[in-house]
Amino acid sequence: MSAPHLPKVAGIDPEVPVSTQTAAPLREIPAAPGAFIQDRLAGWVSDLTTLHELTERLAATATLDAALNELLHAGAALVGARRGLLVLERAGTTTPSTTLGLGLGPADLGHLETVERSATALGRVLDGPPDAADARDGIATPDLLGDQDLDPRHREVATRLGYAASYALPLASEAAGRLGGAVWFYDEPGEPSEKQRHLVGLYARYATEHLARLTELERARADIATVAEELLPSRLPRIPGVRLAARHRTGPQGGGDWYDALPLPDHALGLAVGSVGGSGPSAMAAMGRLRASLRAYAVMEGEDPVAVLSDLELLLRLTEPARTATALFAYCEPAARKVVLAGAGHTPPLVLGDRRCEYVETTLSAPLGMLACWEAPSVEFSPAPGETVLLYTDGLLRRTGDAMDRAFARLHSAAASVPKADRRDPAAVTDHVLRAMLPDGLDRSDSTEDVVVLAAHFD
């Protein structure tokens, strides 16, 4: 009689003997298979977040100087350094166009300049072939003072300034080429890790593109400012009994604000300010034509400011019917202390003296180019000895960001606050008014408004 078979259970063979040895008790819970990957992903996300924040801060910079400062600080944070040096070079030259230090004073920069260029890591990334490995990965010098081949002058400067290691990186990209280079200094021997090099390399390539755009933008702004200055008086005339001063700032796109001062027969003086609608090269060209035309009309009919502006209105309407402009022309006789002026949609002059600070009451009139026939009464007034007549464009008021009525009040307050010791100097008057009206400075680059101020002080 055969032995009975044990019942079979799915997946278990009952005939396989069971081990008599028991497994050791589980003392630790093993890590999940994806924990390492999760840590790596978390690290990548953290690095990308940091890189994103730094590039956003860089992208928010609107001037080249601000971008260079941001680049130096961000690069130092990425590589773990405290000090740094950045050099920009003009294309095709080895002459630095901009040198900027982080944690380095002018004397420190002077010491660094005494080291031969080829003996430094920064010099090698600047002068090396663009496709060299150094141009991609940078040059790390982990122990400067321990390097037996180090240039003696470089060793002396490193000892004097107290840095022991450096990491140099070119500012280059495929689209922009090589613009310059940066180097960061360590107080102790060391070098950035592979991850740090990768992050700062990505950041530097993005920064290079941004710097290239800002460089072109600033070059264009400089060209526009040069053209605008050439369209305005190269110097102010000298007329007995009156002293002149002018300040002018052209917006980044080029605008149409202008001023003029020209000597007229019988020791008279013509003063004019105006603004052409629009911006850019077209507005600048129109401004030049308008100013030249007004000069011609002023020589022929300067004693009658209304006739001067009427002729200007006719010319503008016939030659440029789609354009508008404001203008103010004043005929001055310093010996007789007489000023006759007319304005076309322009802001009224301001008279400043020891006993008064007030706007000249002018008639309300439309800008040039808005009426079929422009004509408005002229205004005559007599400045007292020691008084200054201030002419300006509305760009000065708009730059404040205030409503026009508040901007006018602010201008009046700024003029009234000129110290008495400065009221007989037209240049000091204009500078004080500009400082009071524009605390951030006349050359603030984020404003699109032109600014013109012309001051005439009567002795």
Side-chain angles (χ1 to χ4, degrees), residues 83 107-108 111 153-163:
R83 292 178 289 177
D108 300 332
H111 287 306
R153 179 56 187 167
H154 193 182
R155 185 187 304 277
E156 180 183 347
V157 170
T159 302
R160 177 187 292 269
L161 300 186
Y163 64 87

Side-chain angles (χ1 to χ4, degrees), residues 23 68 77 87 161 191 202 234 306 403 432 439 442:
L68 295 177
V87 171
L161 300 186
E191 60 181 309
L202 292 175
S234 57
V306 173
H432 179 90
L442 187 62

Side-chain angles (χ1 to χ4, degrees), residues 107-118:
D108 300 332
L109 296 177
H111 287 306
L112 288 169
E113 289 176 354
T114 63
V115 182
E116 186 178 352
R117 181 180 172 112
S118 60

Side-chain angles (χ1 to χ4, degrees), residues 10 36 48 64 73 78 104 124 137 171 177 197 227 236 245 309 332 364 399 410 413 420 447 450:
F36 175 73
L48 289 176
L64 188 60
H73 283 83
L78 287 172
L104 300 171
R124 292 196 293 275
D137 304 328
L171 301 176
R197 291 193 189 198
V227 173
L236 296 173
L309 294 185
C332 308
L364 185 64
R399 275 282 295 269
R410 186 170 175 178
S413 176
K420 288 190 176 182
S447 175
D450 289 9

Side-chain angles (χ1 to χ4, degrees), residues 342-386:
H346 204 78
T347 50
L350 183 66
V351 180
L352 169 65
D354 292 336
R355 297 187 177 182
R356 65 170 173 169
C357 178
E358 60 188 23
Y359 289 103
V360 177
E361 292 187 7
T362 57
T363 56
L364 185 64
S365 60
L368 302 174
M370 295 189 66
L371 298 178
C373 180
W374 180 92
E375 186 170 343
S378 61
V379 175
E380 180 177 333
F381 68 98
S382 298

Side-chain angles (χ1 to χ4, degrees), residues 313-326:
E313 156 71 25
L314 178 61
L315 177 71
L316 190 68
R317 181 158 45 89
L318 293 177
T319 59
E320 301 184 65
R323 193 177 294 279
T324 60
T326 66

Side-chain angles (χ1 to χ4, degrees), residues 264 296-309 311 329 331:
L264 297 174
Y297 297 143
V299 171
M300 295 185 294
E301 303 173 321
E303 296 182 11
D304 186 357
V306 173
V308 172
L309 294 185
D311 292 342
F329 178 72
Y331 176 80

